[in-house]
Amino acid sequence: MNTVSAEAIGELQSMLKEGQVSVNQTEREQRSRDESYHKESLPDVVVFPESTEDVQKIIITARRHKMPVIPFGRGTSLEGHVIPYNGGITVDFSKMDKVLEVREKDFLVRVQPGVTRSQLNKVLKKYGLFFPVDPGADATLGGMAATNASGTTSVRYGVMRDQVRDLEVVTADGTIIHTGNLAAKSSSGYHLNGLFVGSEGTLGCFTELTLKVYGIPEAILAARASFPTITSAVEAIVSILQAGIPIARGELVDEASMKQVNLFSGTGYAEKPTLFLEFHGNGAGLKQDVEFMKAIAEECQAEQIDFETDNASRTQLWEARHNLAYAYIHGYPGKKMMVTDVCLPISELAGAVEHSKVHLDALGLAGGIVGHVGDGNFHVLLMINMDDPLEVQQAEEFNERIVMYALERGGTCTGEHGVGIGKQKYQEKEHGAAYEVMKKIKRAIDPEGLLNPNKLV
Amino acid sequence: MNTVSAEAIGELQSMLKEGQVSVNQTEREQRSRDESYHKESLPDVVVFPESTEDVQKIIITARRHKMPVIPFGRGTSLEGHVIPYNGGITVDFSKMDKVLEVREKDFLVRVQPGVTRSQLNKVLKKYGLFFPVDPGADATLGGMAATNASGTTSVRYGVMRDQVRDLEVVTADGTIIHTGNLAAKSSSGYHLNGLFVGSEGTLGCFTELTLKVYGIPEAILAARASFPTITSAVEAIVSILQAGIPIARGELVDEASMKQVNLFSGTGYAEKPTLFLEFHGNGAGLKQDVEFMKAIAEECQAEQIDFETDNASRTQLWEARHNLAYAYIHGYPGKKMMVTDVCLPISELAGAVEHSKVHLDALGLAGGIVGHVGDGNFHVLLMINMDDPLEVQQAEEFNERIVMYALERGGTCTGEHGVGIGKQKYQEKEHGAAYEVMKKIKRAIDPEGLLNPNKLV
């Protein structure tokens, strides 16, 4: 640790309470990595703010000493967002974990950034409400807003950005701003809500979020449909979408991944390319939608369609799907996970999945294809041995091939995981001249570049 | 005209074709105003680009001569957005009016900015598709994106910002950028789509838009429900929303405005506070929703509920609603229209409408209350005599009173009309310290301040 850091840490200790500032090696190591294959790097210090004012003090101190500031939620990111490659201060939001207000009649909640999505849903259930965005991991809402997370339900309810009505943010100079308001729509001023969501800690630290929530639907029905090939499964979901059937979830799990699901979750599902679907609505409408969906799936060669109406079987089904990433990690001890994350216009999805499948099979690495195919977003999960440089290189090349395929067809290199450090090399290619505009915005709002430096832009 | 302008106009004439550059007084006068009470001001010259490259040439020329650039669609704005208070070059997009591509399978269209919403819907109908955003006026899509317009259907389909997948924009230095891509979601880079939508021509000129479109629903049902008081009508819509009934349109028209509707459109609707509703879905689901809606409306004292299932009656109903602003203008020759535009969290809507009604009655000016109450957004239409300074002042004070009421309750000064010049005085109050962040963004992207100067920020 250099003198600058030591001085800054001393100041932080004098400003905050005992237990709010830690230079303990274990604490720092826990915030030196995420859930992906990206290389670790230690912060100089970990701080645990308890209020917006604490965050403000931390950022002003960091600025005075020109130290990087890296916000940290639960460390579930997949592209290295939270790894402090330039050292500095990791701001751990685990002590800012209160649900501050439920505005039941307005379908709004106000939360601190450290609240996790399952924690919020537990509170909301009492009101007959729920928060839909579901990235699989039990991430914090602050982290989910920072990466514009989405997941299984976005095909119906939208992504994180669609839920944010207002953010309280501490910016680089320690100013506290609000990016929005409580109204359902506004044409007032520039759309800072949209800009700050997905900014990955590079424009400010979120200290409060006001989010849209939804009434628990009158009727919910889940279905599993298995297909002879991954292509027929993708064609089925595309046809269902194009028929205008309002699905609430539309997930693809390939054969290899169904095996992992059964191994890890103890389920006995058919080990075939499978669509996991869900429908939300009123009883009568749902019945009509599901009949129509069934007819389309059968036309697309569905071999078996099972429905789950009761709460327990539905929960089991979605838990199995959610545990898939952990199933792979658990199934391949010692290996690290690399996940591709492209998203394409729906007409290009079947081709993209087919292309990935061919190259994945040729690669010969352990892995599978899963995805939020209702949005045109899919992942290839690859388990790689980080000590084998050839394997790492092959995996990187595979990832790049998939990204290039998507970019050439109007897609994006990341549908939901974010840029972090993993997708930086594609930013110029994807955004062209607009990348310069992004850099201008970063320089205007964080002129010294201290907020999560060298991430995103 | 000064020497600078004369020189710039000469250059524009030499670069563009005959008929693309006009200094004709009538042409300039037609672009010196919008549809509101805001004072006219002439541009120095009107140009009619036919391509992105034309726009690029115009902006580079403007920059060299430090002349303002003001984009112009159909002039239907209500807050003075298109009025060139500092003179300069008005860029009229009426010759960039092509629907460039319908990506039927992706539910996407690519259009030039001068395409109007009714023109687009005519093209889409052949594909069984429609574009939902409906601000009443037959505005251009470029203009609608510039103000983040919304209207009757936003309660179901979202506002303009929710439809924009990509914009082609010429920025202040003449660079052509794309703000997005064709994928349904992305976590790549800063969200420029969201930032540029609603930027009112202050960050660049839009030259192409890629927009989401929707399948025409299987079943559509419209309803009119009349109530004894405006408060009972608002309470009914709030109850319908809180019951989770997915309405596609939810419009309030007060007694005075129903009279104007009947006078102008020749309809014989009850002259009572009325809700205009619409439902989209599948046949079975709709039936269940409408039964539930009816029960709630009756509980909230609905006196009469009429349903319109056939296309012709539905069209008549919505045309009558759309013509309301023109009905007032037509009904009060010589007067100008001022329209308030606040939007509040739904729990505050009844109080806000009541408050407005009391003060409108006390004011004694001609006008009425209408609104997209499903979003918490309502308008007071005031017809004012611009030659009577006292009347103008009273109307201004009334507008301010309504804005302050909304801002104190988490609302916004403009739900859909935008800031332009009319809502500038409330920006600091509404956005607080965030207003400084907006100014930083403006300076970073348009450092010389030539793009629609003195609007929005």
Side-chain angles (χ1 to χ4, degrees):
Chain A
M1 194 187 305
N2 59 31
T3 336
V4 176
S5 311
E7 245 181 68
I9 292 164
E11 272 181 44
L12 289 168
Q13 280 165 333
S14 72
M15 270 185 321
L16 300 170
K17 287 183 297 189
E18 218 192 304
Q20 284 194 277
V21 182
S22 174
V23 290
N24 174 292
Q25 181 74 11
T26 312
E27 296 275 22
R28 288 162 61 218
E29 271 171 12
Q30 282 167 356
R31 282 121 195 131
S32 70
R33 54 180 179 257
D34 61 9
E35 289 191 352
S36 75
Y37 67 103
H38 292 292
K39 210 170 150 284
E40 300 92 344
S41 176
L42 285 176
D44 293 314
V45 56
V46 184
V47 292
F48 300 88
E50 294 176 3
S51 65
T52 303
E53 291 63 38
D54 282 354
V55 176
Q56 196 176 29
K57 285 178 198 164
I58 292 161
I59 288 187
I60 290 171
T61 306
R63 195 187 185 193
R64 196 162 41 232
H65 297 280
K66 306 221 176 303
M67 281 180 81
V69 171
I70 302 95
F72 188 96
R74 295 268 297 234
T76 56
S77 103
L78 293 169
E79 292 295 2
H81 305 80
V82 297
I83 307 176
Y85 286 108
N86 304 80
I89 306 170
T90 284
V91 184
D92 182 306
F93 282 96
S94 55
K95 292 191 184 200
M96 288 179 72
D97 65 345
K98 312 287 176 297
V99 176
L100 298 169
E101 191 184 5
V102 179
R103 286 179 70 118
E104 197 183 345
K105 289 195 171 180
D106 291 318
F107 293 91
L108 292 176
V109 291
R110 194 161 55 89
V111 300
Q112 290 187 311
V115 172
T116 69
R117 65 177 185 90
S118 72
Q119 182 193 344
L120 176 61
N121 273 323
K122 221 164 146 182
V123 172
L124 290 177
K125 208 174 176 181
K126 290 175 247 169
Y127 299 87
L129 299 170
F130 78 111
F131 182 71
V133 183
D134 162 30
D138 192 21
T140 64
L141 294 161
M144 285 166 63
T147 55
N148 189 30
S150 47
T152 63
T153 61
S154 299
V155 64
R156 168 80 177 242
Y157 296 96
V159 299
M160 208 53 203
R161 184 172 283 125
D162 299 311
Q163 321 306 333
V164 172
R165 284 277 172 89
D166 184 35
L167 296 172
E168 184 185 79
V169 183
V170 182
T171 60
D173 59 4
T175 308
I176 300 166
I177 64 166
H178 279 263
T179 60
N181 56 57
L182 305 184
K185 63 183 198 184
S186 174
S187 285
S188 182
Y190 294 138
H191 189 49
L192 298 186
N193 273 346
L195 180 66
F196 277 79
V197 173
S199 65
E200 303 185 356
T202 66
L203 300 179
C205 283
F206 306 161
T207 49
E208 261 183 43
L209 301 90
T210 302
L211 302 170
K212 267 173 81 174
V213 295
Y214 298 79
I216 294 172
E218 179 197 311
I220 302 179
L221 186 75
R224 264 178 303 113
S226 56
F227 293 83
T229 63
I230 194 163
T231 306
S232 52
V234 174
E235 279 166 1
I237 188 94
V238 171
S239 302
I240 289 166
L241 288 167
Q242 285 170 352
I245 302 173
I247 55 173
R249 285 170 150 151
E251 298 288 298
L252 170 74
V253 182
D254 77 348
E255 205 169 330
S257 304
M258 287 306 290
K259 282 186 190 135
Q260 290 298 328
V261 163
N262 283 339
L263 269 172
F264 187 79
S265 298
T267 43
Y269 301 147
E271 295 181 353
K272 289 274 190 173
T274 301
L275 290 179
F276 287 44
L277 299 163
E278 199 165 90
F279 302 83
H280 296 177
N282 70 37
L286 215 74
K287 197 161 168 278
Q288 186 176 331
D289 285 339
V290 168
E291 286 301 316
F292 194 11
M293 176 282 286
K294 221 177 139 196
I296 293 172
E298 279 162 1
E299 234 173 69
C300 293
Q301 303 177 270
E303 293 177 337
Q304 200 183 326
I305 308 178
D306 293 302
F307 292 95
E308 319 275 20
T309 41
D310 69 293
N311 210 33
S313 321
R314 266 199 295 114
T315 305
Q316 187 194 30
L317 185 150
W318 291 111
E319 269 180 7
R321 166 66 190 90
H322 283 146
N323 287 330
L324 184 53
Y326 301 112
Y328 270 106
I329 293 170
H330 195 258
Y332 295 92
K335 296 202 173 193
K336 289 268 193 176
M337 190 169 62
M338 179 191 280
V339 194
T340 73
D341 179 36
V342 294
C343 188
L344 298 99
I346 202 78
S347 65
E348 298 285 356
L349 182 65
V353 170
E354 179 94 17
H355 167 265
S356 299
K357 176 83 182 147
V358 168
H359 288 282
L360 175 64
D361 289 346
L363 197 62
L365 290 180
I369 298 176
V370 297
H372 315 304
V373 285
D375 300 315
N377 179 213
F378 71 95
H379 310 301
V380 185
L381 285 77
L382 281 180
M383 299 310 300
I384 51 178
N385 177 358
M386 294 300 289
D387 297 328
D388 182 344
L390 182 66
E391 198 168 304
V392 174
Q393 193 199 326
Q394 283 177 325
E396 294 270 16
E397 283 168 6
F398 174 77
N399 199 335
E400 177 156 338
R401 198 189 286 264
I402 288 180
V403 169
M404 291 305 159
Y405 185 97
L407 294 186
E408 281 156 19
R409 286 157 183 85
T412 176
C413 69
T414 171
E416 57 179 11
H417 295 167
V419 175
I421 57 153
K423 293 289 160 59
Q424 264 185 336
K425 53 178 172 282
Y426 308 120
Q427 291 299 292
E428 194 141 8
K429 167 96 181 158
E430 177 165 342
H431 301 295
Y435 194 42
E436 278 309 310
V437 175
M438 296 177 193
K439 287 184 194 161
K440 282 181 191 171
I441 292 170
K442 167 71 173 174
R443 283 194 296 268
I445 300 184
D446 177 24
E448 299 183 86
L450 294 175
L451 298 177
N452 209 3
N454 304 314
K455 307 286 165 58
L456 202 150
V457 284
Chain B
M1 192 187 309
N2 59 30
T3 336
V4 175
S5 310
E7 242 181 68
I9 292 164
E11 270 181 47
L12 289 168
Q13 280 165 333
S14 72
M15 269 184 323
L16 300 170
K17 287 184 299 185
E18 218 191 304
Q20 284 194 275
V21 182
S22 176
V23 289
N24 174 290
Q25 182 73 10
T26 311
E27 297 275 24
R28 287 161 62 218
E29 271 172 11
Q30 282 167 358
R31 282 118 196 133
S32 70
R33 52 180 179 255
D34 62 10
E35 289 191 353
S36 75
Y37 68 102
H38 292 294
K39 208 169 152 283
E40 299 93 343
S41 175
L42 286 175
D44 292 313
V45 55
V46 184
V47 292
F48 299 88
E50 293 176 2
S51 66
T52 302
E53 291 64 36
D54 283 353
V55 176
Q56 196 176 28
K57 285 179 199 165
I58 292 161
I59 288 187
I60 290 172
T61 305
R63 195 186 185 195
R64 197 162 41 232
H65 297 280
K66 307 222 179 300
M67 281 180 81
V69 172
I70 301 95
F72 188 97
R74 294 268 298 236
T76 56
S77 103
L78 293 170
E79 292 295 2
H81 304 80
V82 296
I83 307 176
Y85 287 108
N86 304 80
I89 305 171
T90 285
V91 185
D92 182 305
F93 282 97
S94 55
K95 292 191 185 203
M96 288 179 72
D97 64 345
K98 312 285 174 299
V99 176
L100 299 169
E101 191 184 5
V102 179
R103 286 179 71 120
E104 197 184 346
K105 290 195 169 180
D106 291 317
F107 294 90
L108 292 176
V109 290
R110 193 160 55 87
V111 300
Q112 289 187 313
V115 172
T116 69
R117 65 178 185 88
S118 71
Q119 183 193 343
L120 176 61
N121 274 323
K122 220 164 147 181
V123 172
L124 291 177
K125 207 173 176 182
K126 290 176 245 168
Y127 299 87
L129 299 170
F130 79 112
F131 183 70
V133 183
D134 163 29
D138 190 22
T140 64
L141 294 161
M144 286 166 63
T147 54
N148 189 30
S150 46
T152 63
T153 61
S154 299
V155 63
R156 167 79 176 242
Y157 295 95
V159 298
M160 207 54 202
R161 184 172 283 126
D162 299 311
Q163 321 307 331
V164 172
R165 284 278 172 89
D166 184 35
L167 296 171
E168 184 185 79
V169 182
V170 182
T171 60
D173 60 3
T175 308
I176 300 167
I177 64 166
H178 279 263
T179 59
N181 56 57
L182 305 184
K185 63 183 198 183
S186 174
S187 286
S188 182
Y190 293 137
H191 189 48
L192 297 187
N193 274 346
L195 180 65
F196 277 79
V197 173
S199 64
E200 303 186 354
T202 65
L203 299 179
C205 284
F206 305 161
T207 49
E208 262 183 43
L209 301 90
T210 301
L211 303 170
K212 269 173 81 175
V213 295
Y214 297 79
I216 294 173
E218 180 198 310
I220 301 179
L221 187 75
R224 265 178 302 113
S226 55
F227 293 82
T229 63
I230 195 163
T231 307
S232 53
V234 174
E235 278 166 2
I237 190 93
V238 171
S239 302
I240 290 167
L241 288 167
Q242 285 169 351
I245 302 172
I247 55 172
R249 285 171 152 151
E251 299 287 299
L252 170 74
V253 182
D254 77 349
E255 204 168 330
S257 303
M258 286 306 291
K259 281 186 191 134
Q260 290 297 327
V261 163
N262 283 340
L263 269 174
F264 187 79
S265 298
T267 43
Y269 301 148
E271 294 181 355
K272 288 274 188 174
T274 302
L275 290 178
F276 288 44
L277 298 163
E278 199 165 271
F279 302 84
H280 296 177
N282 69 38
L286 215 73
K287 199 162 166 281
Q288 187 175 332
D289 284 339
V290 167
E291 286 302 315
F292 194 10
M293 176 281 286
K294 223 179 137 194
I296 293 172
E298 279 162 1
E299 234 173 70
C300 293
Q301 303 177 268
E303 293 177 337
Q304 198 183 328
I305 308 178
D306 294 302
F307 292 95
E308 319 275 18
T309 42
D310 70 294
N311 210 34
S313 321
R314 265 199 296 114
T315 304
Q316 188 194 27
L317 185 148
W318 291 111
E319 270 179 9
R321 166 67 190 90
H322 283 147
N323 287 331
L324 183 54
Y326 300 113
Y328 270 105
I329 292 171
H330 195 260
Y332 296 90
K335 296 203 173 195
K336 290 268 193 176
M337 191 171 59
M338 181 192 279
V339 194
T340 74
D341 179 36
V342 294
C343 187
L344 298 99
I346 202 77
S347 66
E348 299 285 356
L349 182 65
V353 170
E354 180 95 16
H355 167 266
S356 300
K357 176 82 182 148
V358 168
H359 287 281
L360 175 63
D361 290 346
L363 197 61
L365 289 180
I369 298 176
V370 297
H372 315 305
V373 284
D375 300 316
N377 179 211
F378 71 96
H379 309 300
V380 185
L381 286 76
L382 281 180
M383 299 310 299
I384 50 180
N385 177 359
M386 294 301 289
D387 297 329
D388 181 343
L390 181 66
E391 197 167 306
V392 174
Q393 194 199 326
Q394 283 177 325
E396 293 272 14
E397 283 169 6
F398 174 77
N399 199 335
E400 179 157 337
R401 198 189 286 265
I402 288 180
V403 169
M404 291 306 159
Y405 185 97
L407 295 186
E408 280 156 19
R409 286 157 182 85
T412 176
C413 69
T414 170
E416 56 178 14
H417 295 166
V419 176
I421 57 153
K423 292 288 161 60
Q424 264 184 336
K425 54 179 170 281
Y426 308 120
Q427 291 298 291
E428 195 140 8
K429 167 95 180 156
E430 176 164 342
H431 301 295
Y435 194 42
E436 278 309 309
V437 175
M438 295 178 193
K439 288 184 193 160
K440 283 181 192 173
I441 292 171
K442 167 71 174 176
R443 282 194 294 268
I445 300 183
D446 177 25
E448 299 182 85
L450 295 175
L451 299 176
N452 209 4
N454 303 316
K455 306 286 165 57
L456 202 148
V457 282

